[in-house]
Amino acid sequence: MRGQRPDGGVLPAPSTISRLLGAFALIAAFVLAGAAPARAGENVFVEVTPNSVQAGERVQIRASCDNNNRQAQVESDAFGRVTVRPDNGFLTGSATVPRDKQPGDYPVNLRCPNGNTASAMLTVLNMAQPSKGPATGGGGTATGGRTGTMLLIGGLAAA
């Protein structure tokens, strides 16, 4: 029978407090067993936005070095060396790709003060920009003004 000792005596019911403490200990054991230890360099990264850019344009850099209270260095053949500084929990900065930079993929390397590193890729484009708009017609309705008015009056008359 439930609640009885083998010798026939009655077992006392566990108190609510001891039940709660037991449940808490069980939950804590599961949480601690499931938590992975943090490894050094786990939160180290560098991002370049946009990751494809026309030569001569500016890119934004966002990085992390585990401890983002100190500035770090980002370097790339695409734009040289940039210091990223603490900003809202990250390290941020910007750089301009020179207009004469050859198109291609360039590694962007982060070096943290504690020696951790990370890298990303920046694609530089160097496409010739058209000097004028495409030839699409005479543009009579765009510049004269009278043709648009005539069409409006003709449409009203037809209605």
Side-chain angles (χ1 to χ4, degrees):
M1 292 187 101
R2 189 171 168 193
Q4 290 187 349
R5 285 192 259 178
D7 64 357
V10 177
L11 292 172
S15 71
T16 304
I17 293 176
S18 59
R19 285 183 188 173
L20 288 173
L21 287 175
F24 179 73
L26 186 61
I27 291 170
F30 279 119
V31 168
L32 292 176
R39 294 183 301 272
E42 189 172 274
N43 296 318
V44 177
F45 68 87
V46 61
E47 298 173 344
V48 182
T49 306
N51 60 0
S52 292
V53 66
Q54 181 73 19
E57 292 184 1
R58 196 166 190 75
V59 294
Q60 300 300 317
I61 303 167
R62 186 174 85 130
S64 179
C65 282
D66 282 336
N67 177 1
N68 292 325
N69 294 328
R70 296 174 52 198
Q71 64 188 25
Q73 298 295 316
V74 174
E75 190 169 6
S76 176
D77 288 339
F79 51 75
R81 181 176 290 186
V82 174
T83 300
V84 289
R85 293 180 169 78
D87 180 28
N88 293 324
F90 294 100
L91 301 172
T92 61
S94 61
T96 301
V97 177
R99 288 191 185 278
D100 61 349
K101 183 54 68 181
Q102 292 298 311
D105 293 333
Y106 293 90
V108 177
N109 300 308
L110 167 70
R111 180 152 182 88
C112 300
N114 62 3
N116 288 339
T117 61
S119 64
M121 192 64 68
L122 173 64
T123 301
V124 175
L125 309 171
N126 200 351
M127 299 183 299
Q129 298 294 321
S131 60
K132 62 179 182 174
T136 59
T141 59
T143 58
R146 292 187 57 177
T147 307
T149 305
M150 297 292 265
L151 288 173
L152 180 62
I153 293 172
L156 289 174

